[in-house]
Amino acid sequence: KLKFNQVLLPNVGRESHTFLHHLFLGDDADRVAFVQGSPKDHCHNLMDLLHSDKVDIPLGNLMWCDKYGLPHTTILEVESIHLSLFGKQRETYLFSQGAQHILSKETLNKRSRIFWKRCLELLLEDGKIFTRGHEFERSWGYIFDLEYATRSYY
């Protein structure tokens, strides 16, 4: 049976804020599902996956973009997230459409509270919340170290 916890947060406009708030506070759950407001738009078999034992999987189609978000958009600076967090950038980014995942406690605990605080600071930089949310969407697989390109998920 699924268990849910509810925390009320201000609506700053992107799911990344909610995810990062949760990650910064920490959680003892064995697995956590991060989904957005209309999760089935990106993952039609969402309920089956939530009721399964699968962990460390994306809940959406995998897509590619370049460091500017192309071909999906032209306004992003995806590389800025990687430069800030990892000290390097990539030419292309493989990401899960919708930013949704089921993650294990082990995966969530790979990063420190200091790391999650830095992510929150990046997200909330003045005037960047809209684009930063999309940049984080394209970065979660790398942040969680899921190696999308080398694994089969379903």
Side-chain angles (χ1 to χ4, degrees):
K1 180 166 172 116
L2 298 176
K3 291 172 44 178
F4 298 94
N5 293 325
Q6 183 180 27
V7 176
L8 298 177
L9 296 173
N11 183 357
V12 298
R14 303 295 324 157
E15 70 274 348
S16 297
H17 178 259
T18 305
F19 298 174
L20 287 168
H21 184 271
H22 180 85
L23 291 163
F24 176 69
L25 291 180
D27 193 327
D28 284 336
D30 290 333
R31 86 197 255 271
V32 174
F34 289 109
V35 297
Q36 55 177 246
S38 297
K40 289 186 178 181
D41 289 350
H42 299 295
C43 184
H44 300 291
N45 62 338
L46 176 68
M47 294 310 292
D48 293 337
L49 291 169
L50 289 176
H51 287 285
S52 75
D53 291 332
K54 294 183 181 284
V55 293
D56 300 332
I57 61 170
L59 298 173
N61 297 321
L62 295 181
M63 304 173 73
W64 288 96
C65 75
D66 71 4
K67 61 185 179 178
Y68 304 110
L70 290 168
H72 315 289
T73 184
T74 60
I75 61 169
L76 302 181
E77 299 174 4
V78 183
E79 80 276 9
S80 69
I81 299 291
H82 287 258
L83 283 172
S84 294
L85 296 178
F86 305 117
K88 59 184 176 181
Q89 69 182 39
R90 305 173 56 85
E91 291 300 314
T92 59
Y93 296 85
L94 182 61
F95 67 99
S96 174
Q97 181 185 21
Q100 304 181 132
H101 295 84
I102 297 175
L103 300 166
S104 66
K105 180 192 305 191
E106 292 75 25
T107 293
L108 295 177
N109 289 334
K110 285 181 185 178
R111 306 281 185 199
S112 69
R113 288 190 75 215
I114 293 169
F115 179 86
W116 298 125
K117 181 179 179 189
R118 176 67 184 127
C119 289
L120 266 171
E121 292 168 351
L122 280 172
L123 180 71
L124 297 173
E125 281 182 349
D126 290 339
K128 294 187 176 183
I129 188 71
F130 178 78
T131 55
R132 280 289 155 91
H134 291 283
E135 292 160 4
F136 269 94
E137 176 180 9
R138 285 147 178 82
S139 303
W140 288 121
Y142 304 98
I143 290 170
F144 296 133
D145 197 24
L146 293 182
E147 302 179 22
Y148 290 147
T150 61
R151 293 182 52 196
S152 174
Y153 289 98
Y154 306 112

